[in-house]
Amino acid sequence: MLYGRLDELRALAAGRLAEHLRYTGGTQQARSQRDSTVAMYSEQVQRFGAVESGLCFGRLDFDNGTRRYIGRIGIFDHSDSDAADAADGADRDPDEPLLMDWRAPAARPFYLATAAAPDGVRRRRHIRTRNRTVVGLDDEVLDLRSVRPSDHVELTGEAALLAAVSAGRTGRMSDIVQTIQAEQDRVIRSELPGVLVVQGGPGTGKTAVALHRAAYLLYTHRQQLSSRGVLVVGPNATFLRYISQVLPALAETGVLLRTVGELYPGVVATRAEPAATAALKGRLAMTEVLAAAIRDRQEVPDEAVEIVVERETLRLDRATCVAARDRARRSGRPHNLARELFDIEIVHALAGQVADRIGADPLGGENLLDEADLAEIRRELRAEPEVRAALDRLWPRLTPQRLLADLFRDEDRIAAATPDLTDEQRRLLRREPGGWAPSDAPLLDEAAELLGERERSGSRRDELARRARLEYAEGVLDITHGSRSIDLEDEDEGEILTVADLIDADRLDERQVDREQLTTAQRAAADRRWTFGHIIVDEAQELSPMAWRVLMRRCPSRSMTVVGDVAQTGALAGAGSWDDVLAGYVGDRWRLEELTVSYRTPAEIMAVAAKVLARIDPALTPPRAVRRAGVSPWELRVPADGLADRLAELTGRELAEVGDGRVGVLVPAALTGQLGPAVAAAVPDTAVGDQPDLTSRVVMLTVAQAKGLEFDAVVVVDPDRIVAESPRGHNDLYVALTRATRRLGVLNVDR
């Protein structure tokens, strides 16, 4: 009945979701409530969808005769305990869950128990499922007298693990909840506070560990994290689509997934730009560039500015403007908030000129205008279009988007803001408007900090919205008060309670607001100043110093999980060491965990990649592969004029070799336009593009797009050109060579 009941709940939620998706009209308030309801039912559908992955995946048999079933979520049995015990066939504590959540402390022996330290476990059973069908059972007897020697005695559930890593890829990452190893479990269950760095080579499961850590932290610290949320940052949109189903399969849907280019609300930064430009904009020195660009917009005229007001000419001389500017700057307020002080100084100066003209005593005495008259003059001046235009020219209100767009398209503004840059570096910054690059998102965020955001306007909007809701609530109460279905005598009417007697408009509004609340992830995505309870950064070695500055701003508690491999750093502004990244924010108060075992990459492929790793840094040690694929990597040379045809032929061959698996073709960025159409024409179901469909049988990608992904077979095209395309080309090649789980081919090009 368990699956049937979950199916009913999922079907009910799906039906309600479809119903609300069909509704698109109504007032703004109604549409807002509809969006919130859609989010709620979407989350329910995803949670109940965990059942499709197979809820139960393991069982522990203890020395004392008890059993414990392990699953993706915890389920308690509220039926008759005697009947449940009889059905289970073993003694069972009636207070113990029917299914133990894998994150619960009592489930740890499933991942940690070994023959040398069984922790009371006599036998561990791995249950392999395909959807809801059991397709295999693997038992491990942890009695030392029964254990046979193995090359991999340190692995937990070796048969289940090898089956999982050898299975065909689907284009979507699967959870590893059934096969978590001891070193991975240690990372997943590490304490919440502080910065945890997880360093691991290719195939060590860094990404999977990071996602399972997110699920574990939400389970263990639900109350602490539910209100602030968890942010997961990935290298690109393709990667986020690849991992998007892992957390829902673990019944966690409240995590916000974002790329660096999406961290500034309302902006999706996908514009391509040279690597050197991205590296320049990623430097911390850009904070000074932005500050200088803002100061450059706080103008003072070389000559007096004439302002015509009611046919009278007022003059703003340079000295007055300098004094007003300096007064506003000394306040220490951000640019947009200091504008008010600048306005006051300028308007007071102009009002003084008006007062001198109209209030002068003909007999030479004091000015005839009092303070009330001066205040009225200032009020009228502020309303004059000519005055407002002058203020906007001298001290404009700026958005981050306008500041950056104006800066990057104007050579003079760039020169004024970058006195320490070379002419070549300034040329890298120069561009025409038209979309944002990922490196712009941290600059927009920094600009927002420097410009300042006006709290008052947002509060005003909130107050207006609240008043509108109150009027609506009062109308509802009026209707309910006036609609009586019982005909009462006048003297009895006051004894009957109505809705209005039980709840007032304010309380009804509060309940309405509660129902309209967006999820934590939705609210966090829309609020630039949101601070998260925990942040997980995958492929963290790729982030620039400016990107780290944004993330630290989003997490003042410094509760973070940083996952990556400095040997795979491809971005010019990326990390050279973890200390370089973190020292400026937490000093030496961060802890390191290393993943040393490669589960994905077989030994034959790791041997090829290790040669490239030695060229990056001879001191680096590749992760140890736990298995052999039984297939040696191949390498061929082809002439440049025959590359496309030969690649199409070899891709088709690899596709046949992997059966229902997936083939990744990794090419230099400069060759994508030439090779993509040729392979797509020859091999059906080939995906090429900026955001290709990873469920396609063949996917052509650049190395940057392939970060964090894996395929059954990989063909690396023109490795020499991959190396030449970037100053960190060998790092890119190392990444390319370690994406395969079974087969690797390298296609060299003769020119």
Side-chain angles (χ1 to χ4, degrees):
M1 292 302 296
L2 171 63
Y3 281 114
R5 178 60 178 153
L6 288 174
D7 280 339
E8 291 175 11
L9 293 172
R10 188 183 189 193
L12 178 63
R16 290 177 175 172
L17 174 62
E19 176 184 343
H20 285 278
L21 285 173
R22 286 194 295 268
Y23 174 74
T24 58
T27 64
Q28 178 63 38
Q29 181 181 5
R31 290 195 298 272
S32 176
Q33 184 172 356
R34 172 255 189 191
D35 291 343
S36 300
T37 306
V38 165
M40 178 185 69
Y41 285 126
S42 296
E43 182 173 349
Q44 288 184 6
V45 170
Q46 288 181 307
R47 281 185 177 274
F48 293 133
V51 70
E52 296 297 340
S53 301
L55 291 180
C56 180
F57 57 79
R59 191 183 81 190
L60 294 173
D61 295 349
F62 291 91
D63 291 337
N64 61 8
T66 61
R67 290 176 177 174
R68 185 177 298 159
Y69 287 90
I70 313 298
R72 285 180 168 77
I73 59 176
I75 298 176
F76 288 84
D77 183 8
H78 297 296
S79 62
D80 181 78
S81 60
D82 292 336
D85 290 344
D88 189 46
D91 293 334
R92 185 171 62 82
D93 184 348
D95 294 326
E96 184 169 290
L98 179 66
L99 189 64
M100 180 72 67
D101 192 299
W102 67 275
R103 295 166 287 190
R108 290 204 78 181
F110 186 78
Y111 302 109
L112 299 183
T114 63
D119 198 17
V121 177
R122 179 174 56 85
R123 180 172 59 181
R124 172 172 44 222
R125 168 167 289 182
H126 291 263
I127 305 169
R128 288 185 281 120
T129 61
R130 183 176 295 113
N131 296 327
R132 301 182 187 180
T133 303
V134 176
V135 297
L137 298 174
D138 298 304
D139 282 349
E140 294 176 275
V141 178
L142 302 186
D143 187 335
L144 282 173
R145 294 167 297 180
S146 306
V147 170
R148 290 178 298 178
S150 168
D151 293 336
H152 308 305
V153 294
E154 75 279 13
L155 297 179
T156 300
E158 182 176 343
L161 172 65
L162 296 181
V165 297
S166 301
R169 306 297 99 176
T170 65
R172 291 287 184 269
M173 175 178 277
S174 300
D175 65 72
I176 61 167
V177 68
Q178 303 178 58
T179 58
I180 294 171
Q181 299 300 298
E183 68 171 6
Q184 296 173 329
D185 183 82
R186 184 176 64 252
V187 173
I188 290 170
R189 298 176 192 264
S190 181
E191 60 185 11
L192 173 65
V195 177
L196 171 66
V197 175
V198 183
Q199 163 74 34
T204 54
K206 299 184 298 298
T207 298
V209 166
L211 295 174
H212 287 67
R213 176 162 169 75
Y216 170 78
L217 292 177
L218 284 167
Y219 173 86
T220 308
H221 305 279
R222 181 78 64 186
Q223 184 174 3
Q224 182 176 349
L225 294 179
S226 60
S227 62
R228 301 313 309 169
V230 174
L231 171 67
V232 174
V233 179
N236 53 59
T238 302
F239 173 84
L240 292 185
R241 291 202 314 277
Y242 176 65
I243 68 172
S244 62
Q245 297 305 310
V246 174
L247 286 167
L250 300 174
E252 293 295 348
T253 59
V255 176
L256 181 64
L257 274 61
R258 283 290 184 267
T259 65
V260 169
E262 297 169 328
L263 288 178
Y264 190 83
V267 169
V268 178
T270 58
R271 178 173 179 162
E273 64 181 356
T277 299
L280 178 60
K281 291 194 291 186
R283 296 180 183 177
L284 285 179
M286 287 301 295
T287 60
E288 293 301 324
V289 171
L290 294 176
I294 292 172
R295 290 193 298 271
D296 184 54
R297 304 302 293 269
Q298 299 165 358
E299 299 181 10
V300 293
D302 293 330
E303 299 181 357
V305 175
E306 294 187 347
I307 303 173
V308 179
V309 177
E310 295 182 356
R311 291 180 294 184
E312 293 287 341
T313 301
L314 305 178
R315 292 172 58 84
L316 272 180
D317 57 33
R318 178 179 174 82
T320 298
C321 294
V322 169
R325 182 193 64 183
D326 293 347
R327 166 74 176 85
R329 286 181 175 177
R330 284 197 304 271
S331 72
R333 297 182 185 181
H335 172 87
N336 286 335
L337 304 185
R339 160 70 184 259
E340 181 180 353
L341 299 177
F342 181 81
D343 287 3
I344 290 172
E345 295 293 324
I346 296 297
V347 170
H348 275 242
L350 295 176
Q353 295 180 36
V354 174
D356 289 342
R357 293 180 183 179
I358 67 175
D361 184 351
L363 301 178
E366 294 184 1
N367 197 295
L368 300 178
L369 301 180
D370 58 18
E371 183 57 35
D373 296 324
L374 291 173
E376 180 63 19
I377 293 172
R378 290 193 288 265
R379 186 189 65 78
E380 292 178 354
L381 284 174
R382 285 193 179 92
E384 287 292 333
E386 291 289 335
V387 174
R388 292 202 306 271
L391 293 172
D392 288 339
R393 183 169 70 254
L394 297 174
W395 193 292
R397 297 190 192 278
L398 298 169
T399 64
Q401 291 91 326
R402 179 184 169 189
L403 175 70
L404 261 66
D406 289 351
L407 172 65
F408 291 151
R409 70 184 174 192
D410 191 310
E411 293 180 359
D412 291 337
R413 291 196 188 281
I414 292 175
T418 58
D420 297 330
L421 296 187
T422 66
D423 290 342
E424 177 59 30
Q425 289 173 323
R426 294 189 183 112
R427 280 192 290 271
L428 290 174
L429 293 178
R430 173 76 173 84
R431 74 171 189 216
E432 293 300 323
W436 301 103
S439 63
D440 291 324
L443 301 184
L444 289 169
D445 197 86
E446 186 70 25
E449 289 289 310
L450 295 172
L451 291 172
E453 296 170 293
R454 299 182 66 188
E455 299 277 0
R456 190 174 304 169
S457 61
S459 300
R460 177 64 175 164
R461 286 194 298 270
D462 293 342
E463 177 61 20
L464 291 174
R466 192 186 74 84
R467 289 181 183 176
R469 291 196 305 269
L470 281 177
E471 291 175 4
Y472 176 82
E474 288 168 354
V476 171
L477 294 177
D478 288 342
I479 293 172
T480 58
H481 183 75
S483 59
R484 307 246 180 154
S485 60
I486 302 175
D487 186 15
L488 299 172
E489 298 292 339
D490 290 343
E491 61 269 20
D492 294 331
E493 184 173 338
E495 299 179 4
I496 301 297
L497 293 177
T498 68
V499 174
D501 296 316
L502 299 174
I503 187 170
D504 59 18
D506 283 293
R507 189 168 299 175
L508 182 60
D509 172 54
E510 290 175 5
R511 294 189 177 185
Q512 182 73 9
V513 170
D514 288 342
R515 286 196 298 271
E516 292 179 2
Q517 282 294 324
L518 298 175
T519 65
T520 298
Q522 288 173 319
R523 287 184 287 128
D527 187 351
R528 189 193 69 81
R529 291 175 294 179
W530 189 273
T531 56
F532 290 90
H534 193 79
I535 292 181
I536 293 175
V537 190
D538 202 354
E539 300 292 341
Q541 74 278 356
E542 302 300 325
L543 269 61
S544 71
M546 286 300 296
W548 281 110
R549 188 173 171 88
V550 175
L551 293 181
M552 294 298 175
R553 193 177 292 135
R554 295 287 197 279
C555 192
S557 66
R558 302 295 190 261
S559 178
M560 307 178 79
T561 301
V562 176
V563 181
D565 179 12
V566 291
Q568 298 184 59
T569 303
L572 294 182
S577 73
W578 297 122
D579 191 62
D580 291 343
V581 170
L582 299 171
Y585 299 103
V586 295
D588 60 357
R589 300 182 307 279
W590 54 276
R591 57 194 193 276
L592 175 68
E593 291 281 1
E594 293 192 66
L595 300 177
T596 60
V597 178
S598 178
Y599 308 99
R600 178 186 69 213
T601 310
E604 298 93 335
I605 295 177
M606 190 57 73
V608 174
K611 298 176 183 178
V612 178
L613 182 64
R615 298 193 64 175
I616 298 171
D617 185 346
L620 295 175
T621 302
R624 177 172 54 86
V626 300
R627 65 189 178 96
R628 301 187 67 85
V631 180
S632 298
W634 55 264
E635 186 171 3
L636 294 174
R637 302 196 70 85
V638 298
D641 56 3
L643 175 60
D645 291 339
R646 190 70 169 122
L647 175 60
E649 175 191 343
L650 292 169
T651 301
R653 187 189 74 181
E654 290 300 303
L655 187 59
E657 290 288 345
V658 298
D660 61 353
R662 301 293 186 274
V663 176
V665 181
L666 306 188
V667 301
L671 296 182
T672 303
Q674 170 192 343
L675 301 178
V679 174
V683 183
D685 197 14
T686 295
V688 183
D690 291 336
Q691 295 188 26
D693 182 1
L694 295 178
T695 62
S696 299
R697 298 292 310 285
V698 176
V699 183
M700 180 174 288
L701 301 161
T702 65
V703 178
Q705 292 173 322
K707 288 276 185 179
L709 306 184
E710 58 185 30
F711 302 91
D712 297 276
V714 168
V715 179
V716 178
V717 180
D718 201 351
D720 291 340
R721 191 158 187 170
I722 288 176
V723 171
E725 278 189 340
S726 168
R728 288 181 168 172
H730 284 99
N731 299 62
D732 287 345
L733 182 58
Y734 181 60
V735 171
L737 294 173
T738 53
R739 299 303 97 196
T741 65
R742 294 158 60 184
R743 299 175 58 86
L744 172 66
V746 178
L747 196 56
N748 297 294
V749 179
D750 288 329
R751 292 182 173 82

